[in-house]
Amino acid sequence: MKGVLSISFLFCCLLLLLDSSVSLPLCVDSRAPFTLNKTLGFCPYNGSTCCNSTQDAQIEKQFRASNVSDPGCALVLKSILCARCDPFSGELFTIQSSPRSVPVLCNSTIPANSSQSKTEVEDFCSQVWDTCNDVSIVNSPFAPSLQGQAGAPAHSNATKLSDLWQSKTDFCTAFGGASDNSSVCFEGEPVSLNKTGTSISPPHGLCLERIGNGSYLNMVAHPDGSNRAFFSNQMGKVFLATLPDEGSGGTLKLDESSPFVDLTDQVYFDTQFGMMGMAFHPDFAKNGRFFASFTCDKSKWSGCTGRCSCNSDVNCDPSKLGTDHGAQPCQYQTVIAEYSANSSGSQPSSVESAKPTEVRRIFTMGLPFTSQHGGQILFGPDDGYLYLMMGYGGGAGDPYNFAQNKKSLLGKIMRLDVDNIPSAADISKLSLWGNYSIPKDNPFSEDKDLQPEIWALGLRNPWRCSFDAERPSYFLCADVGQDVYEEVDLITKGGNYGWRVYEGPYPFQPTQSPGGNTSVNSINPIFPIMGYNHSELNKNEGSASITGGYVYRSTTDPCMYGRYLYGDLYAGAIWAATEDPQNSGNFSTSRIPFSCARDSPIQCDSAPGNLLALGYIFSFGEDNNKDVYILASTGVYRVVRPSRCSYACSQEKATTTTTSAPSPSPSHATRWSVLSGYLFLQCSFLLLLLLGSM
């Protein structure tokens, strides 16, 4: 009885560990796979893979050292060892951040609607046992820390599966796993996801209501979960607003004469400058900490002091740059400053104004030129770290190649820890740019050439990034192009997104290179998952400049659910992108018509042909209900029910008859939440029985 309970308890706990993490292609080091031009010498992977030739040779050495005499078992073992090269190896070899010596082997518990390549994935775990159970494997990968559990005797010198595990059931309880719509398992060959088979035709249109007349660059939902949000303009004022219920006929309650905080004395405002971002600490409701990202002018504000990003560390001499639109090199600086809403003694959630007095300077860096400096900031939903999106700093074609220079912070996405502030001595010793520390798992831990702040590189000018609310591992950034292409990238740890070797998917040839060049063969670029050519837009409407948005996770428009929305600054164009197969990282995009709701609280402006005129699309926003907003030069717009614009959506009726309005079918996260709760109760019961039987 005790043995049965032990196996059942371990099985339950392993199921609980197999959580709703998505099957996004990632390697075991959390980096994105890269593309090889040829097949590896030992492992049968080409194209997208997680192994280079050195790693391939190490796997071959491990295989040879196993000294497997049986040909059938040797083939099975080779495929399992080579699974580390699979683009999905990050999930195959990791459960709840705990590494495995063997990938999750497909077993007989796989449902018929498996997302993998075969309609019914064979019981590969049993096949491994049947083929190798009586074969000697030196330094067997099947003898990990689970020895002595689930009926496995702790034989330190065992080389056969039959010595390590009492039965096939025990073996597959430990190493087996299922494939469903949110996970993958290994079946002896490279993981392949099927097309969903469902229609990915775009929605008929996007219906918008105008709820405000103001023009803003940033919107952040109030961290307390209420129906309030913060809006900020480029001049440096932050406003606290109450959002009306969708369809209520209400408008944005925002008093521009009474800002939440006014930073205009610190912010330098001009066409390319101003307050670029704001972020509220995940625990803002308790600690009142919030952050502003802006540009300042050191000739006008004494607090605008920082090192120049053009310096000897990056082979740049500021004295040779000359002026740019009348400005000296690094006259303008990018700043992240921390403020507090805690000074009044009230709970931060109830505070309606804050003092413009800096609590702490998080970051200051001088800009070499007067454009392309990004500046958005946001907190990672899973890790709580602050992400800073920094452009390459300006100058036609990135002349100093800053975006590819691993010692420069320009053209990068940075990841900073603002909760653990080092001493002034340590800040100086580490040559940090302000009051922050470095997360230990930043990419520099694996690439010593990188500055420790860097999370990703090779960006031109990231303009609006967001995490998918349902799948936080999906970190999407729109990156503004130069002459040809506007792109959206799926950001991963240590990813190199190509600029200025590439502009989107196209090779880029700089007109001048005083800072040197980066060769095509020296990088493994990650190409955009979506985007558009400048030639696709009406050139009379202005040059293209992408504005990133959000994966739509509201139930207000069920036909838009799960699609990534983005737009163009000048053209008034909006696109929706759909991923297929799900969790594959492959997207198809469609330009979406949009119009104004007949009962919009504020009448919308019209363009020729009686079309909705948004003006410039500056940014997108998302509230606590996951409704998506467009921040445009003509006002604040919200995505509403398609029927309000007479757009057909067969799913709308079913989801608007209830106040809770779930998605058309339960999300993977919802289904897992219910299942995990049930499993937790079952595990608790089994644990009590197990303890009682000892």
Side-chain angles (χ1 to χ4, degrees):
M1 177 64 179
K2 187 185 297 184
V4 174
L5 286 173
S6 299
I7 295 171
S8 299
F9 176 68
L10 178 62
F11 180 66
C12 263
C13 293
L14 284 173
L15 282 176
L16 282 173
L17 287 175
L18 289 167
D19 66 0
S20 58
S21 61
V22 298
S23 304
L24 174 68
L26 285 177
C27 303
V28 291
D29 59 1
S30 298
R31 293 177 181 265
F34 49 87
T35 301
L36 289 177
N37 295 325
K38 59 182 180 179
T39 304
L40 294 170
F42 179 68
C43 293
Y45 285 86
N46 57 16
S48 181
T49 181
C50 287
C51 289
N52 56 30
S53 58
T54 301
Q55 294 162 323
D56 180 60
Q58 291 171 344
I59 293 173
E60 181 177 12
K61 183 178 180 180
Q62 180 184 0
F63 172 77
R64 303 296 180 199
S66 298
N67 197 25
V68 179
S69 58
D70 180 83
C73 183
L75 286 175
V76 168
L77 179 63
K78 177 181 177 180
S79 72
I80 289 173
L81 295 179
C82 285
R84 287 192 173 275
C85 300
D86 198 284
F88 290 89
S89 59
E91 183 166 346
L92 290 173
F93 282 88
T94 308
I95 296 180
Q96 287 282 24
S97 75
S98 298
R100 298 166 55 98
S101 60
V102 173
V104 178
L105 306 177
C106 294
N107 65 22
S108 56
T109 64
I110 294 171
N113 64 344
S114 168
S115 64
Q116 290 192 230
S117 58
K118 299 178 181 178
T119 305
E120 293 183 1
V121 181
E122 62 182 319
D123 186 357
F124 182 67
C125 190
S126 293
Q127 185 185 94
V128 173
W129 175 271
D130 294 340
T131 306
C132 294
N133 77 89
D134 202 33
V135 177
S136 175
I137 303 175
V138 179
N139 296 320
S140 173
F142 301 106
S145 58
L146 289 177
Q147 286 187 87
Q149 300 183 43
H155 294 325
S156 58
N157 297 318
T159 60
K160 299 179 180 180
L161 299 185
S162 55
D163 293 333
L164 287 164
W165 303 93
Q166 290 185 353
S167 68
K168 181 193 300 184
T169 300
D170 295 341
F171 176 77
C172 286
T173 295
F175 294 113
S179 173
D180 56 30
N181 286 331
S182 63
S183 63
V184 294
C185 60
F186 187 68
E187 53 179 317
E189 57 187 41
V191 172
S192 176
L193 301 181
N194 268 345
K195 293 284 184 180
T196 61
T198 59
S199 172
I200 58 172
S201 58
H204 290 93
L206 194 68
C207 188
L208 304 174
E209 66 173 356
R210 185 177 179 181
I211 61 171
N213 290 321
S215 178
Y216 310 101
L217 274 192
N218 302 281
M219 173 186 172
V220 179
H222 201 296
D224 67 358
S226 67
N227 65 335
R228 297 180 296 165
F230 295 95
F231 292 81
S232 66
N233 61 25
Q234 194 171 349
M235 292 177 286
K237 292 183 179 181
V238 180
F239 305 94
L240 177 58
T242 300
L243 306 169
D245 292 336
E246 191 268 336
S248 67
T251 59
L252 195 66
K253 293 182 179 179
L254 184 153
D255 184 359
E256 290 209 344
S257 67
S258 180
F260 176 79
V261 68
D262 184 347
L263 304 178
T264 53
D265 288 342
Q266 303 162 36
V267 174
Y268 175 71
F269 167 63
D270 201 349
T271 305
Q272 296 279 349
F273 297 103
M275 185 167 169
M276 296 292 134
M278 61 177 176
F280 291 77
H281 194 278
D283 291 327
F284 172 81
K286 296 179 180 179
N287 61 31
R289 299 174 68 193
F290 67 98
F291 304 80
S293 170
F294 56 88
T295 46
C296 62
D297 182 347
K298 69 179 184 180
S299 70
K300 297 182 178 180
W301 180 43
S302 61
C304 190
T305 56
R307 301 205 311 270
C308 186
S309 56
C310 171
N311 54 54
S312 58
D313 293 339
V314 294
N315 299 316
C316 180
D317 183 352
S319 67
K320 296 181 180 180
L321 292 185
T323 60
D324 184 23
H325 292 85
Q328 296 294 327
C330 294
Q331 176 179 330
Y332 302 119
Q333 313 239 335
T334 283
V335 169
I336 301 175
E338 179 181 340
Y339 303 88
S340 176
N342 230 357
S343 57
S344 65
S346 303
Q347 288 294 324
S349 289
S350 63
V351 170
E352 296 185 354
S353 65
K355 293 182 179 180
T357 305
E358 276 191 43
V359 173
R360 184 180 294 111
R361 178 64 58 86
I362 301 298
F363 185 92
T364 312
M365 184 173 70
L367 301 168
F369 303 105
T370 60
S371 63
Q372 316 301 336
H373 45 77
Q376 183 190 7
I377 52 175
L378 51 81
F379 280 95
D382 279 349
D383 56 29
Y385 293 127
L386 185 70
Y387 290 77
L388 166 60
M389 276 51 79
M390 178 62 67
Y392 74 84
D398 191 5
Y400 284 85
N401 200 25
F402 288 131
Q404 286 298 325
N405 190 326
K406 294 182 178 182
K407 296 303 180 184
S408 171
L409 298 185
L410 295 168
K412 311 297 191 298
I413 292 176
M414 287 172 263
R415 182 174 180 250
L416 313 175
D417 182 350
V418 296
D419 288 333
N420 297 290
I421 308 300
S423 66
D426 285 340
I427 291 173
S428 176
K429 179 181 178 181
L430 297 171
S431 296
L432 303 181
W433 298 77
N435 289 283
Y436 58 86
S437 58
I438 304 296
K440 293 181 180 179
D441 61 339
N442 269 14
F444 81 100
S445 61
E446 298 156 19
D447 185 347
K448 301 303 180 184
D449 291 333
L450 280 171
Q451 284 294 97
E453 293 89 348
I454 296 172
W455 182 253
L457 68 155
L459 284 303
R460 186 177 180 276
N461 189 29
W463 188 250
R464 296 322 184 225
C465 305
S466 65
F467 291 92
D468 182 352
E470 188 173 290
R471 302 175 298 178
S473 63
Y474 279 56
F475 181 21
L476 296 102
C477 277
D479 195 21
V480 178
Q482 177 154 317
D483 301 320
V484 178
Y485 194 81
E486 305 295 307
E487 67 185 86
V488 178
D489 298 307
L490 189 55
I491 303 299
T492 57
K493 177 181 179 180
N496 188 330
Y497 294 89
W499 174 257
R500 70 177 185 162
V501 181
Y502 292 91
E503 180 185 357
Y506 304 109
F508 180 78
Q509 296 296 329
T511 57
Q512 52 179 330
S513 302
N517 287 308
T518 298
S519 67
V520 173
N521 295 330
S522 67
I523 64 171
N524 292 307
I526 300 173
F527 291 111
I529 56 172
M530 62 189 85
Y532 54 94
N533 288 289
H534 290 197
S535 58
E536 295 178 35
L537 301 178
N538 183 347
K539 293 184 177 151
N540 294 329
E541 294 175 333
S543 58
S545 179
I546 195 169
T547 301
Y550 289 86
V551 177
Y552 190 84
R553 293 301 181 188
S554 170
T555 56
T556 300
D557 183 349
C559 286
M560 199 63 66
Y561 188 86
R563 302 173 191 267
Y564 177 73
L565 293 174
Y566 62 101
D568 186 82
L569 170 67
Y570 299 105
I574 297 175
W575 289 263
T578 305
E579 186 184 27
D580 188 49
Q582 187 176 7
N583 302 325
S584 65
N586 297 319
F587 289 80
S588 59
T589 61
S590 299
R591 188 166 172 176
I592 301 293
F594 56 89
S595 59
C596 187
R598 296 182 303 273
D599 55 351
S600 176
I602 301 175
Q603 185 176 358
C604 300
D605 297 333
S606 296
N610 202 31
L611 300 175
L612 169 58
L614 290 175
Y616 298 111
I617 299 177
F618 293 135
S619 191
F620 287 77
E622 184 183 59
D623 66 16
N624 284 315
N625 291 324
K626 306 309 173 191
D627 277 322
V628 170
Y629 297 71
I630 295 175
L631 309 185
S633 58
T634 58
V636 178
Y637 299 80
R638 173 167 54 188
V639 178
V640 297
R641 288 176 285 116
S643 59
R644 292 176 61 186
C645 292
S646 299
Y647 289 132
C649 174
S650 61
Q651 302 167 42
E652 181 182 348
K653 185 176 180 181
T655 59
T656 54
T657 56
T658 172
T659 55
S660 58
S663 54
S665 60
S667 68
H668 305 315
T670 301
R671 288 198 296 266
W672 177 252
S673 178
V674 174
L675 177 60
S676 62
Y678 170 77
L679 288 170
F680 179 78
L681 291 174
Q682 293 296 313
C683 283
S684 300
F685 175 70
L686 288 168
L687 179 58
L688 289 173
L689 288 177
L690 181 61
L691 293 173
S693 65
M694 291 181 174

